[in-house]
Amino acid sequence: MGDFRLNVLKEILNSYEKFFIHLMPHPELIIGSRGLVGEEKKNGIVLVFSSYSYDKLSMEDDSVTVNMKFSGSWESLYIPVDAISAIFNDPVKP
């Protein structure tokens, strides 16, 4: 399933300027010094990828690393592929 998720992510990266990824809580998920807060610890978090919100994205067989902006500050993320529950381009009609 991990290969499928990575292939979808690669296709989305090549096709859309803005997209969203829903991550579920995972013991190896790292969202910089911010971490998951409040309800995110239970329900996960939706990350917004646009040309200004992320940088230095790298994919491995089992993870994605990326720098993302949260409230104007850059955070380093380590995303296990198993934490990715959805990838979509429209939050209203995923």
Side-chain angles (χ1 to χ4, degrees):
M1 188 64 147
D3 288 342
F4 175 75
R5 291 176 184 157
L6 287 176
N7 287 334
V8 169
L9 181 55
K10 288 175 188 174
E11 203 55 45
I12 294 283
L13 279 166
N14 292 327
S15 302
Y16 297 95
E17 291 183 23
K18 184 175 183 181
F19 62 94
F20 305 82
I21 296 180
H22 179 253
L23 303 175
M24 291 302 294
H26 187 283
E28 296 177 20
L29 176 63
I30 298 171
I31 302 182
S33 60
R34 177 191 184 278
L36 295 175
V37 296
E39 288 293 310
E40 294 170 355
K41 294 176 183 177
K42 177 182 169 190
N43 300 323
I45 185 172
V46 175
L47 301 177
V48 180
F49 284 76
S50 69
S51 58
Y52 301 106
S53 68
Y54 77 97
D55 188 24
K56 300 179 183 171
L57 186 135
S58 172
M59 288 184 249
E60 300 295 327
D61 291 340
D62 61 350
S63 64
V64 175
T65 55
V66 64
N67 291 336
M68 294 196 77
K69 273 191 181 178
F70 289 87
S71 300
S73 297
W74 287 100
E75 299 280 358
S76 296
L77 282 69
Y78 175 83
I79 304 168
V81 173
D82 291 341
I84 300 172
S85 68
I87 303 171
F88 48 97
N89 72 336
D90 185 338
V92 178
K93 303 174 194 169

